């Protein structure tokens, strides 16, 4: 039995036609039948069955939490105490987490059932999920295509209904782009809304945890539970987390929506995605919304700025994986220097090494001012330009990705070509704004694609509320 919202699940649980135990068994069976997708790296069968029994008892007593009945997978860079976590890298092979991330604790407190950890690009670096040390994730819509990255396992698991929802992390589009490729909802909150405590860091000033779901309603619920101040993460805001209004009271409220005209004339944009976006713009206008083009001439600047800054942060963050403290230690090493060199050489994949090298270069003496310092200034320009748009508009609309999921194993002469996958998504990470990919497109090639909405910082309520209206009307 397939469910699109947790409300549907909980209605069935209340009437007694299903139990959490039966839900777990059904999803474990589906995971077994879909191993070929390579979405799950590990399934927590015993944990899930045990929790299901306890939660069924809570439901009978009327004491169950808000997420009772929701089965969730977590990306393999989110810590869960007593369970392996590897960031899909050989360098953390066999490592067991000593504590749970704040997001996991908050989900468990509301009686979610965590069913396993999900494949991703190594250390969340990639846009295809082909850079995992444990093999690529296949797209459920077409198994010859990639699932997107870096949270491809999370997107594929939700799309194939191997779990009701999944957590991912978004550094430059790593939730929204795979959500677009797989045809599900992918939501990145405002930077600083959700604690990063227990998230294995890629680029600390960009990373943000968010959900994959079938519905905006479930994404909003998960966000509201995970968000809020955390004593373990000083970058988290103490602002009140407003609940999204899903009533029809605001159904006719006109919105002011901007779209980036530079994005829609970009030659890299698939013609069918352009047409669907333009049709949606016209639909919104006929319903009384103001939808206007705005100029944003920094489209081609954002990807280089993003990669300079994130690789610099990655170079620093990944220095801790040295073969000494934890994780992989090379068997060929015979002294301190060879332990460092060989362990990192054997443990990291090519893409991670490439980004560490680039990050180390832009931080090095003589190049810091030329690259890193300038990129920080450019980041400020992008942020201020984005804020200026939001002085006049409630939302910014754009395609999520320039195309649908591409062929798995596609040869790239220039590995940096893959970085252009983030062209429409990185703005929200550079500026820190919330953004969501909605599965509103179906290509003639049979593959889904998403439309992205970006909102004002800290105004997830408006973004998610309007997203629900958009989903319900399409």
């Amino acid at each position: 039995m397939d469910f699109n919202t947790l409300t549907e699940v909980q209605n069935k649980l209340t009437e007694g036609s299903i139990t959490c135990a039966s839900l777990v068994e059904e999803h474990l069976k589906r995971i077994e039948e879909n191993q070929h997708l390579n979405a799950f790296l590990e399934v927590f069968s015993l944990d899930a069955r045990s929790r299901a029994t306890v939660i069924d008892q809570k439901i009978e007593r009327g004491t169950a939490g808000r997420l009772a009945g929701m089965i969730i997978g977590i990306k393999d860079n989110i810590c869960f105490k007593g369970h392996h976590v590897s960031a899909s890298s050989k360098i953390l092979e066999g490592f067991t987490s000593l504590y749970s991330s704040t997001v996991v604790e908050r989900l468990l407190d509301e009686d979610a059932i965590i069913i396993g950890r999900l494949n991703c690009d190594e250390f969340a670096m990639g846009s295809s999920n082909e850079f995992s040390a444990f093999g690529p994730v296949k797209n459920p819509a077409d198994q010859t295509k990639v699932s997107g990255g870096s949270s491809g396992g999370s997107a594929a698991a939700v799309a194939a209904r191997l779990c009701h929802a999944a957590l991912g992390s978004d550094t430059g589009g790593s939730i929204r782009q795979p959500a677009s490729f797989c045809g599900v909802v992918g939501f990145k909150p405002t930077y600083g809304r959700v604690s990063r405590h227990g998230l294995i860091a890629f680029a600390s000033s960009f990373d943000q945890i968010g959900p994959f779901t079938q519905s905006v309603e479930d994404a909003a619920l998960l966000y509201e539970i995970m968000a809020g101040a955390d004593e373990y993460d000083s970058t988290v805001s103490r602002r009140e987390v407003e609940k999204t209004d899903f009533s029809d009271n605001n159904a006719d409220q006109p919105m002011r929506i901007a779209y980036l005209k530079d994005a829609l004339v970009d030659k890299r944009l698939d013609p069918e995605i352009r047409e669907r976006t333009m049709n949606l713009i016209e639909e919104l206008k006929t319903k009384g919304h103001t939808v206007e083009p705005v100029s944003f001439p920094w489209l081609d600047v954002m990807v280089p700025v993003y990669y300079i800054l994130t690789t610099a942060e990655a170079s620093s963050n990944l220095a801790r994986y040295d073969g000494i403290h934890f994780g992989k230690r090379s068997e060929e090493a015979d002294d301190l220097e060879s332990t460092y060199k060989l362990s990192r050489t054997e443990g990291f994949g090519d893409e991670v090494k490439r980004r560490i090298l680039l990050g180390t270069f832009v931080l090095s003496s003589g190049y810091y001012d030329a690259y890193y310092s300038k990129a920080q200034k450019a980041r400020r320009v992008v942020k201020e330009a984005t804020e200026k748009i939001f002085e006049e508009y409630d939302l910014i609309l754009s395609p999520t990705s320039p195309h649908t999921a591409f062929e798995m194993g596609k040869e790239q002469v220039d590995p940096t070509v893959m970085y252009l996958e983030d062209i429409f998504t990185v703005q929200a990470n550079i500026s820190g704004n919330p953004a969501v990919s909605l599965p509103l497109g179906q290509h003639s090639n049979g593959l889904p694609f998403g439309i992205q909405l970006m909102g004002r910082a800290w105004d997830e309520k408006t973004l998610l509320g309007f997203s629900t209206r958009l989903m319900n009307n399409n």
Side-chain angles (χ1 to χ4, degrees), residues 364-383:
S364 61
S365 177
Y367 297 101
Y368 182 95
D369 288 335
Y371 292 100
Y372 184 77
S373 181
K374 283 183 179 177
Q376 287 285 29
K377 292 173 183 176
R379 183 180 194 179
R380 170 55 63 182
V381 170
V382 170
K383 181 173 174 60

Side-chain angles (χ1 to χ4, degrees), residues 74-374:
I74 58 174
K75 186 175 178 179
D76 188 37
N77 62 350
I78 297 173
C79 294
F80 185 8
K81 186 176 181 179
H83 297 77
H84 290 308
V85 61
S86 72
S88 293
S89 177
K90 289 181 180 178
I91 206 157
L92 277 173
E93 219 166 35
F95 178 75
T96 300
S97 182
L98 303 175
Y99 63 93
S100 286
S101 61
T102 296
V103 292
V104 165
E105 291 282 6
R106 290 180 179 177
L107 296 183
L108 293 176
D109 286 346
E110 292 292 345
D111 289 331
I113 298 169
I114 296 179
I115 201 165
R117 59 188 176 99
L118 294 156
N119 203 348
C120 60
D121 283 304
E122 185 180 5
F123 281 97
M125 298 180 189
S127 300
S128 65
N129 218 140
E130 294 178 290
F131 297 127
S132 167
F134 307 107
V137 176
K138 296 177 181 177
N139 192 319
D142 180 345
Q143 293 171 34
T144 67
K145 303 294 192 293
V146 301
S147 61
S150 64
S151 310
S154 300
V158 173
R161 297 184 182 271
L162 310 184
C163 49
H164 294 131
L167 296 188
S169 63
D170 193 310
T171 307
S174 288
I175 289 174
R176 290 158 288 146
Q177 187 248 28
S180 176
F181 280 9
C182 293
V184 295
V185 174
F187 174 51
K188 180 200 87 74
T190 306
Y191 178 81
R193 264 301 198 192
V194 176
S195 173
R196 291 180 293 109
H197 174 67
L199 173 69
I200 294 176
F202 163 16
S204 302
S205 73
F206 291 80
D207 299 341
Q208 188 65 107
I209 296 170
F212 291 86
T213 55
Q214 296 287 350
S215 69
V216 178
E217 179 185 323
D218 284 357
L221 177 61
L222 288 168
Y223 153 71
E224 287 162 12
I225 287 169
M226 294 188 295
D230 178 24
E231 63 179 313
Y232 296 111
D233 183 355
S234 61
T235 64
V236 177
S237 171
R238 295 187 175 275
R239 290 169 181 258
E240 179 188 356
V241 179
E242 295 180 302
K243 294 190 182 302
T244 307
D245 182 6
F246 291 110
S247 69
D248 292 329
N249 298 338
N250 299 318
D252 297 322
Q253 180 184 343
M255 303 289 284
R256 292 187 57 80
I257 302 168
Y259 67 91
L260 308 182
K261 62 183 180 183
D262 310 84
L264 290 185
V265 299
D266 195 290
K267 63 184 179 182
R268 291 160 289 196
L269 181 61
D270 181 284
E272 286 190 40
I273 296 179
R274 179 184 292 111
E275 182 182 4
R276 173 66 180 113
T277 307
M278 294 305 298
N279 288 342
L280 180 59
I281 288 169
E282 292 307 314
E283 289 171 27
L284 291 170
K285 287 179 179 178
T286 61
K287 290 175 182 174
H289 303 291
T290 300
V291 190
E292 297 174 339
V294 295
S295 177
F296 194 83
W298 297 281
L299 199 64
D300 285 331
V301 172
M302 289 193 295
V303 171
V305 166
Y306 166 78
Y307 276 97
I308 288 170
L309 296 178
T310 57
T311 56
E313 292 184 24
S315 171
S316 175
N317 279 326
L318 270 60
R320 71 194 68 176
Y321 305 103
D322 53 13
I324 301 294
H325 297 92
F326 48 78
K328 181 181 179 62
R329 179 178 297 179
S330 174
E331 295 179 359
E332 304 297 319
D334 53 17
D335 60 15
L336 187 62
E337 184 177 347
S338 63
T339 299
Y340 286 152
K341 286 183 177 179
L342 294 175
S343 298
R344 288 169 67 84
T345 299
E346 295 168 15
F348 288 134
D350 289 344
E351 180 60 23
V352 174
K353 290 175 187 172
R354 187 178 294 123
R355 297 199 193 194
I356 290 173
L357 286 169
L358 177 56
T360 304
F361 173 78
V362 301
L363 288 175
S364 61
S365 177
Y367 297 101
Y368 182 95
D369 288 335
Y371 292 100
Y372 184 77
S373 181
K374 283 183 179 177

Side-chain angles (χ1 to χ4, degrees), residues 2 19 25 34-35 47 54 67 104 107 195-196 202 206 225 247 254 270 297 331 353 384 389 395 410 463 468 474:
D2 292 332
T19 63
E25 293 305 324
N34 288 276
Q35 286 188 51
D47 272 9
V54 171
L67 295 179
V104 165
L107 296 183
S195 173
R196 291 180 293 109
F202 163 16
F206 291 80
I225 287 169
S247 69
D270 181 284
E331 295 179 359
K353 290 175 187 172
E384 289 176 351
I389 294 173
L395 300 164
K410 184 179 179 181
L463 174 63
T468 307
N474 282 270

